[in-house]
């Protein structure tokens, strides 16, 4: 039996934005992506609220967000220590509440309250954990 509502894909209130990729060094991790034809999209960012630094890469596949811990932060440590690099999928949503409600119907839980994110010009983001440790980031659409 599936953990997800079989109607989960009907009329989703969001659209795909990126794959979150945890790493210990953005500079080192970027190299194999460049070999696959990826290039940086925009500038790098530092987000003290989230405890990470990062950048976006675009190429022949989905947009990738490379993220590393800021000094003294452990935001990504549990993922990295477990050997997990691809750790979240991110989606744009009109209002965060729409995404959160959808996740709750899938037996998901809000694990990071809405907060402004530097990577998205201060727009609000939140994280929900779906069954099976499937982490989703919701990004509130601009205006």
């Amino acid at each position: 039996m599936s953990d997800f509502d079989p109607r989960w894909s009907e009329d989703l209130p969001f659209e795909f934005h990126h794959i979150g990729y945890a790493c210990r060094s953005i500079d080192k991790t970027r190299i194999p992506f460049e070999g696959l034809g990826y290039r940086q999209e925009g500038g790098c960012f530092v987000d003290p609220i989230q405890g990470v630094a990062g950048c976006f890469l675009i190429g022949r596949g989905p947009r990738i967000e490379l993220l590393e811990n800021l000094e003294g932060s452990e935001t990504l440590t549990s993922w990295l220590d477990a050997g997990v690099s691809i750790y979240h999928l991110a989606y744009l949503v009109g209002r965060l509440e729409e995404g959160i409600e959808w996740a709750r119907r899938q037996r998901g839980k809000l694990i990071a309250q809405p907060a402004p994110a530097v990577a998205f010009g201060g727009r609000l983001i939140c994280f929900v954990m779906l069954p099976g440790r499937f982490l989703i980031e919701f990004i509130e659409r601009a205006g």
Side-chain angles (χ1 to χ4, degrees):
M1 179 173 194
S2 172
D3 288 331
F4 295 98
D5 182 326
R7 298 164 293 162
W8 74 275
S9 63
E10 296 176 13
D11 302 317
L12 293 175
F14 45 83
E15 72 178 80
F16 180 77
H17 188 268
H18 69 266
I19 294 172
Y21 194 98
C23 60
R24 297 191 191 280
S25 167
I26 289 172
D27 290 336
K28 289 179 183 175
T29 304
R30 175 191 336 250
I31 294 168
F33 284 102
E34 289 172 347
L36 292 169
Y38 276 85
R39 67 186 188 331
Q40 189 166 317
E41 176 186 38
C44 290
F45 59 88
V46 173
D47 191 332
I49 294 172
Q50 306 299 322
V52 296
C55 69
F56 288 99
L57 302 178
I58 55 174
R60 295 185 145 203
R63 179 186 287 117
I64 305 291
E65 180 185 33
L66 295 182
L67 295 166
E68 65 185 17
N69 283 327
L70 290 178
E71 188 174 331
S73 170
E74 295 192 6
T75 301
L76 304 169
T77 302
S78 64
W79 298 100
L80 293 167
D81 287 351
V84 174
S85 294
I86 295 175
Y87 80 103
H88 77 263
L89 299 181
Y91 294 88
L92 295 170
V93 64
R95 291 184 1 264
L96 290 183
E97 295 78 22
E98 292 175 88
I100 294 167
E101 181 54 36
W102 174 88
R104 286 185 175 136
R105 288 194 305 271
Q106 309 312 314
R107 297 185 7 208
K109 296 178 182 167
L110 181 67
I111 63 163
Q113 294 293 324
V118 171
F120 304 105
R123 286 184 282 155
L124 295 177
I125 64 167
C126 70
F127 287 88
V128 296
M129 185 71 73
L130 298 177
R133 285 187 54 118
F134 187 16
L135 187 64
I136 300 287
E137 176 184 18
F138 288 120
I139 308 157
E140 200 160 67
R141 286 187 190 278

